[in-house]
């Protein structure tokens, strides 16, 4: 236990989980968010907890695949043409990291983090109660084409190197797992170590627990700068006044680059926009969450509730909706699940969120350069929910001078400097 105080900037999954573990360590915790923490990227996502995702986003073939989509307006990948030097710099680093050697090297620490987080989510469920629809039945990697299925089987073979349990299912077997909805797939790989939650319910449950246990929340408060003295930050400047604490944790999601720039260490992050829509009641629903491998989108059931989502759009930090992207997701879902009775959503039912994407697909966890009391937690791209609890636990270990449970070298925030 200690008598230290901490300010956490940003109340997404990383910020709230950091608040949870730091409060347990006796810190006086304040979370500052420019919104009200009820609809950031950590709410409308697919809710997968994915130890299966040991291949980082920056991996061989990702760039050529992305380029092959670029002329298709409904495609799962989009870059808005613009002269943005941050994006160009980020893109060059992404290109440098998308090779076999680096991707394989990064896959092991990534898997360590995902496994740690997966275990912690079981503990959090024990602690908070069964209030966020967590299910531990695994996740299907669904393949429509033979080619995609053959590739996915190779991933299934590689999964043995990471001690993951998988089942390879042919067309007939997959259909047996989904008796109520007609499928049209070549086969699937079921990753049994995966789980899924309702992320919005998780966030609400966390917020409630933290509020009840005395964590302070400053809503509608935007952090605009910092005052430094030597190697420490003395004050956090906001549009509602200045605040100070012994330690600062930065978890502002896709806005990390702008905030760290104010501290003289601009970390590379781009917002990768995704879309989702949620159906409150589907009579004949699917039973397994799934990633549509060659459809590049995903689907998550929670009893009769259903969410579909996906796409990766690099168009800057905004929440503009390109309706064609949602059409792309919907069409893919209907192709894989022709028996699913869902309509295309009304415009106001389409949710967007910005994944904080680093140039190698790994998060940033650790001290920000030479600034002794500022630590970064985030940048996990499409794995923020899967990695949030682990990231937060590691941050709490660093701030209490314990040996972190996993080696953090690969997540060093300064690795591109
Ligand atoms: C369609 C989609 C599906 C996804 N599916 C999954 C999935 O199945 N599994 C998975 O693991 N991940 C998934 N993700 C990724 C995951 O949602 C993100 O990685 C994660 O939510 C990021 O969390 P965060 O805490 O870093 O940031 P955020 O959730 O974006 O929170 C950041 C917070 O910081 C605040 N903030 C920013 N700047 C400031 C400032 N200057 N002052 C004050 N506050 C500030 C913001 O208001 C915001 O509340 C998905 C993402 C998308 C878009």
């Amino acid at each position: 236990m200690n008598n230290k105080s901490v300010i956490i900037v940003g109340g997404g999954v990383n910020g709230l989980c950091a608040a949870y573990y730091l409060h347990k360590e006796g810190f006086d915790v304040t979370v500052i968010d420019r919104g009200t923490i009820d609809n950031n990227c950590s709410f409308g996502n697919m809710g997968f907890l994915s130890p299966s995702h040991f291949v980082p986003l920056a991996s061989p073939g990702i760039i050529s695949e992305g380029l092959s989509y670029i002329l298709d307006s409904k495609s799962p990948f989009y870059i808005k043409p613009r002269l943005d030097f941050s994006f160009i710099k980020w893109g060059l680093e992404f290109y440098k990291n998308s090779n076999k050697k680096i991707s394989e090297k990064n896959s092991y620490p990534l898997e360590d983090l995902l496994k740690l987080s997966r275990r912690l989510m079981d503990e959090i469920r024990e602690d908070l109660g069964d209030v966020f629809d967590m299910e531990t039945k695994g996740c299907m990697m669904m393949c429509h084409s033979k080619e995609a299925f053959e590739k996915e089987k190779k991933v299934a073979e590689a999964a043995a190197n990471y001690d993951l349990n998988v089942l390879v299912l042919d067309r007939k077997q997959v259909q047996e797992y989904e008796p109520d909805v007609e499928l049209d797939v070549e086969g699937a790989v079921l990753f049994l170590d995966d789980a899924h939650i309702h992320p919005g319910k998780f966030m609400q449950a966390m917020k409630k627990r933290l509020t009840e246990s005395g964590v302070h929340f400053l809503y509608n408060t935007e952090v605009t700068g910092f005052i430094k003295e030597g190697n420490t930050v003395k004050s956090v400047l906001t549009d509602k006044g200045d605040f100070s604490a012994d330690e600062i944790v930065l978890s502002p999601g896709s806005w990390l680059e702008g905030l760290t720039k104010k501290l003289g260490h601009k970390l590379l992050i781009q917002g990768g926009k995704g879309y989702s829509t949620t159906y409150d009641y589907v009579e004949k629903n699917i039973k397994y969450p799934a990633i549509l491998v060659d459809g590049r989108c995903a689907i998550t059931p929670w009893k009769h509730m259903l969410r579909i989502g996906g796409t990766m759009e690099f168009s800057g930090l905004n929440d503009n909706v390109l309706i064609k992207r949602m059409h792309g997701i919907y069409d893919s879902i209907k192709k894989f699940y022709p028996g699913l009775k869902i309509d295309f959503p009304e415009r106001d039912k389409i949710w967007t969120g910005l994944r904080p994407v680093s140039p190698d697909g790994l998060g940033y966890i650790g001290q920000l350069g030479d600034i002794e009391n500022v630590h970064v937690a985030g940048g996990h791209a499409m794995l923020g929910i899967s990695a949030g609890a682990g990231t937060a636990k590691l941050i709490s270990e660093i701030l209490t001078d314990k040996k972190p449970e996993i080696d953090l070298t690969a997540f060093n925030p300064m690795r591109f400097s």
Side-chain angles (χ1 to χ4, degrees), residues 24-43:
K24 273 184 188 292
E25 290 291 346
F27 280 84
D28 181 24
V29 183
T30 302
V31 179
I32 302 183
D33 198 288
R34 65 156 165 246
T36 45
I37 313 186
D38 48 18
N39 196 25
N40 56 34
C41 189
S42 305
F43 280 77

Side-chain angles (χ1 to χ4, degrees), residues 77-123:
F77 182 73
Y78 173 66
I79 297 177
K80 183 176 179 196
R82 63 201 195 283
L83 197 60
D84 174 342
F85 290 110
S86 288
F87 182 65
I88 293 168
K89 199 163 172 216
W90 177 94
L92 287 173
E93 281 295 341
F94 190 85
Y95 174 75
K96 275 199 245 165
N97 282 281
S98 299
N99 63 63
K100 191 164 183 282
K101 197 171 157 213
I102 297 181
S103 155
E104 264 180 22
K105 186 167 144 258
N106 283 342
S107 69
Y108 290 97
L110 176 59
E111 184 58 19
D112 287 345
L113 176 63
L114 295 173
K115 283 218 178 96
L116 168 66
S117 240
R118 174 68 192 81
R119 173 168 64 72
L120 294 173
M121 287 301 282
D122 282 338
E123 290 177 14

